[in-house]
Amino acid sequence: MRVCLIASSRFPIAEPFQGGLEAHTAALGSALIERGHEVTIFAAPGSDPALGAVELPVRRFEPSPAARADVGAHPETWLREHHAYLALMLDLIEHGRDRFDVVHNNSLHHLPIAMAAATGLRFLTTLHTPPVGWLESAIALAPSPSTYVAVSRHTADAWAHAVRPVVIPNGVDTQRWVPGPGGERAIWTGRLVPEKAPHLAIEAARRAGLPLDLAGPVLDRAYFDEAIAPRLGDGIRYLGHLGSTDLVAAVGTSRVALVSPRWDEPYGLVAAEAMACGTPVAAFARGALPEVIGPRGGRLAQPDDVDALARAAVDARDLDRGAVRAHAVEHCDLRRMVDDYERLYSGSPVEAMA
């Protein structure tokens, strides 16, 4: 099958990944290629060509001086992103049926939803985030030949006022995220931004008496300088933004993984990755994390309660690593996710949200 994947225009689909959406798209694309599908991923410049990536032209549009002078003008970064998706959708309308059998939209932009019907192609959109206004607007106004997918039941419930999505939980490659021996240190992985709240993980680790490693991209320098850098030292280390090989090794040699969001996680890919390595998880019970972790995978804490997260880390750190890994293989495996997407691509039903 000829599959078109639409990804983010902001971050490339290349290691080290900037976040879960990029990691998800890369894993899905790789799995589809391995299964014999012809895959083209439209993504930000710098994406991996081995995944069939084609660059969205996010740097090619410059508004005219007259447009810049408009007091209501949008920021140029917004215009370039708009231009990139508009160009892509117009191309799919004109040529898409000659090149693709199905379009799978993983972006957070409104135009792929708004213009889907005009392509004449089978069209899927995966909802990776809580409801946002520009996507709600596109769903409300556009004709609805699209199939919508939510990455968890929590996310499906959050979108239920606007659309009835099929639930296909995200998955991780359990053949890449392999069991590790554990160790003495805790680990926190992800984007170092306020809504992920690694500073709360640091405080919880200290109260639990656990040394802690942090790994991930610094996307908010002011937050890192003010909330993270002063807390480093005395057992707390920042490992940097690691590629998958080094990240698997770091997670697999950790005793427990801390997940400390201050927002409702649509899925919680870092928890699934940790459990696939056999590393139990201590997490705030926010968003879909209770669905992902379960009692075999770790322990949950009251959101924003640092003492509760510390207690959860102490309780989780001695869970049987084999059982944690088995839970991930059973509930979080990429192959199950790809099976479900293949069914939708072919027009077969997948069990919808109850």
Side-chain angles (χ1 to χ4, degrees):
M1 184 174 290
R2 301 170 301 169
V3 181
C4 168
L5 296 179
I6 303 177
S8 169
S9 70
R10 296 188 178 183
F11 300 120
I13 308 301
E15 292 209 31
F17 299 115
Q18 291 292 315
L21 193 154
E22 290 74 34
H24 162 86
T25 305
L28 175 61
S30 295
L32 290 171
I33 291 169
E34 288 176 3
R35 295 186 181 201
H37 298 286
E38 182 182 322
V39 177
T40 303
I41 302 177
F42 291 93
S47 295
D48 186 353
L51 294 171
V54 176
E55 292 186 358
L56 285 163
V58 292
R59 297 177 180 170
R60 297 179 189 170
F61 178 71
E62 294 291 339
S64 68
R68 288 195 192 96
D70 183 350
V71 295
H74 289 288
E76 290 187 14
T77 52
W78 186 95
L79 282 170
R80 290 172 188 171
E81 186 174 33
H82 174 84
H83 181 74
Y85 284 112
L86 181 60
L88 171 61
M89 294 308 298
L90 290 173
D91 183 65
L92 288 176
I93 289 169
E94 186 171 358
H95 304 293
R97 280 167 286 186
D98 297 328
R99 300 167 58 196
F100 304 113
D101 301 306
V102 63
V103 178
H104 183 176
N105 172 39
N106 284 288
S107 79
L108 306 181
H109 203 272
H110 63 281
L111 283 179
I113 293 173
M115 301 174 71
T119 66
L121 289 159
R122 188 182 304 279
F123 211 100
L124 283 72
T125 289
T126 296
L127 301 168
H128 290 277
T129 66
V132 290
W134 56 89
L135 296 185
E136 286 184 337
S137 174
I139 290 170
L141 295 176
S144 55
S146 295
T147 297
Y148 292 93
V149 176
V151 297
S152 66
R153 290 202 171 274
H154 169 83
T155 299
D157 289 343
W159 279 95
H161 65 284
V163 69
R164 185 178 176 85
V166 174
V167 178
I168 299 180
N170 278 343
V172 297
D173 186 350
T174 56
Q175 296 178 351
R176 169 171 281 197
W177 293 88
V178 294
E184 295 304 316
R185 302 181 66 84
I187 194 164
W188 183 100
T189 61
R191 293 178 287 116
L192 283 89
V193 292
E195 63 267 26
K196 300 287 188 179
H199 67 285
L200 298 183
I202 293 173
E203 295 305 315
R206 285 213 163 102
R207 296 181 196 187
L210 287 164
L212 175 69
D213 290 330
L214 304 167
V218 177
L219 299 185
D220 186 328
R221 175 54 64 177
Y223 168 73
F224 183 88
D225 291 343
E226 294 171 11
I228 303 302
R231 290 180 164 91
L232 297 178
D234 191 24
I236 310 298
R237 306 186 302 195
Y238 173 54
L239 303 181
H241 188 191
L242 304 179
S244 64
T245 300
D246 291 334
L247 191 58
V248 169
V251 173
T253 54
S254 297
R255 190 168 183 180
V256 62
L258 302 185
V259 184
S260 54
R262 302 197 79 173
W263 75 314
D264 287 342
E265 287 286 352
Y267 178 75
L269 207 61
V270 296
E273 292 167 349
M275 293 186 299
C277 294
T279 301
V281 177
F284 288 143
R286 301 203 63 155
L289 285 169
E291 297 175 47
V292 175
I293 296 168
R296 282 200 299 165
R299 295 291 182 265
L300 297 169
Q302 183 71 20
D304 300 326
D305 187 332
V306 173
D307 286 329
L309 185 61
R311 292 192 296 270
V314 171
D315 289 345
R317 64 185 177 183
D318 292 324
L319 290 175
D320 180 82
R321 296 182 67 88
V324 173
R325 162 76 179 181
H327 171 78
V329 171
E330 183 178 349
H331 294 284
C332 308
D333 190 76
L334 178 71
R335 287 168 291 186
R336 178 267 313 150
M337 181 192 81
V338 179
D339 287 345
D340 283 346
Y341 277 122
E342 283 186 315
R343 292 187 187 99
L344 288 186
Y345 292 167
S346 66
S348 300
V350 172
E351 182 181 355
M353 179 184 106

